């Protein structure tokens, strides 16, 4: 368990084009969930989110597809971004996908649709505009925690 003296696990920086590629695939899957009402498809997407969140982005299925099939055809990225905010966004997506799948499986279709729609909106913003809501939340939480720690030591 990391303490304040030991840093949390650090993943290697990621290619932002891979993050957007994954968000695009996620957008397609979540749109299909809304059209079909399939709790099973949403559960599969939850598994994708879980792998990225828990195992790390290099094990996330969409990241593997990008790294093996797409990235070799592109020039090297000019810059990379930190993995921690992206992993956090995968965790947020996982929560929405689990809640949505539970809604669909429990015949609470409105819950399934709403949770899926929130996840879809976030994925679409990232895919289309490179705006990662989960990453922004990560930054806000980090600043909040830092401010609280500074206030506690003052």
């Amino acid at each position: 368990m990391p303490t304040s003296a030991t840093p949390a696990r650090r993943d290697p920086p990621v290619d932002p084009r891979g993050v957007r590629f994954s968000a695009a695939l996620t957008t397609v899957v979540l749109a299909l969930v809304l059209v079909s009402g399939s709790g099973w498809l949403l559960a599969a997407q939850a598994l994708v989110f879980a792998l990225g969140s828990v195992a790390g982005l290099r094990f996330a299925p969409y990241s593997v597809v990008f790294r093996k099939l797409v990235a070799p055809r592109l020039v090297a990225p000019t810059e990379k971004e930190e993995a921690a905010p992206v992993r956090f966004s995968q965790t947020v997506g996982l929560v929405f996908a689990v809640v949505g799948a539970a809604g669909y499986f429990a015949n609470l279709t409105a819950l399934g649709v709403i949770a899926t729609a929130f996840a879809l909106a976030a994925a679409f913003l990232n895919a289309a505009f490179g705006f990662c809501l989960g990453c922004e939340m990560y930054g806000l939480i980090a600043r909040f925690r830092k401010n609280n720690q500074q206030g506690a030591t003052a």
Side-chain angles (χ1 to χ4, degrees), residues 136-149:
E136 294 298 320
M137 286 174 51
Y138 180 88
L140 288 172
I141 292 167
R143 282 191 292 279
F144 179 77
R145 291 176 73 190
K146 183 179 177 183
N147 289 339
N148 277 348
Q149 287 175 352

Side-chain angles (χ1 to χ4, degrees), residues 37 39 42 96-116:
L42 189 53
F96 278 100
V98 167
V99 168
Y104 282 118
F105 291 136
N107 248 358
L108 300 170
T109 306
L111 178 61
V113 168
I114 290 168
T116 303

Side-chain angles (χ1 to χ4, degrees), residues 14-68:
V14 295
D15 184 339
R17 300 170 301 178
V19 175
R20 287 182 79 174
F21 174 82
S22 296
L25 291 180
T26 300
T27 297
V28 171
V29 170
L30 295 174
L32 288 172
V33 169
L34 287 178
V35 168
S36 68
S38 173
W40 289 109
L41 183 56
L42 189 53
Q45 180 60 50
L47 180 60
V48 170
F49 283 138
L51 286 169
S53 174
V54 176
L57 298 174
R58 66 184 166 273
F59 300 108
Y62 303 157
S63 295
V64 172
V65 170
F66 177 80
R67 205 170 48 252
K68 299 288 185 188

